[in-house]
Amino acid sequence: QVQLVESGGGSVQAGGSLMLSCKISGASSSPYYMGWFRQAPGKERERVVGINTGNGAIDYADSVKGRFTASQDNTRNTLYLEMNTLKTEDTAMYYCAAFFSLAGQIWGQGTQVTVSS
């Protein structure tokens, strides 16, 4: 059974940084797509960054371009999201997701990021 477990969330002041991690376990094949998503209270879930694992293309939401960086460590089956120059509007529950051909869409339980002014 494929599982994703996020970590690294927390509270930080505006302008600060956080690093989120997403550990993937139980996968018998590689996902064709991975991403970070977030959902703020009262808002719809939005994609922060998506990674096409086939061609390596990474696509960031306009709101985080230049501030957030996604990376992956295949040896550790871990996806990272480095978040710099955080803003209060970045406050949300952050989820990682991995899409598999057979296993389907797998989501983590989320990790809370709170940015205060």
Side-chain angles (χ1 to χ4, degrees), residues 50-110:
I51 303 172
N52 181 320
T53 60
N55 60 21
I58 301 178
D59 184 34
Y60 294 92
D62 289 341
S63 59
V64 306
K65 280 182 181 177
R67 301 188 298 122
F68 290 14
T69 303
S71 61
Q72 56 186 114
D73 184 340
N74 292 327
T75 62
R76 293 184 171 87
N77 291 327
T78 302
L79 179 67
Y80 300 98
L81 183 66
E82 180 180 1
M83 306 185 294
N84 297 313
T85 319
L86 282 161
K87 305 176 180 180
T88 55
E89 51 263 44
D90 293 319
T91 294
M93 184 71 79
Y94 283 71
Y95 302 87
C96 70
F99 299 171
F100 296 83
S101 298
L102 294 179
Q105 297 185 10
I106 308 297
W107 293 80
Q109 81 289 349

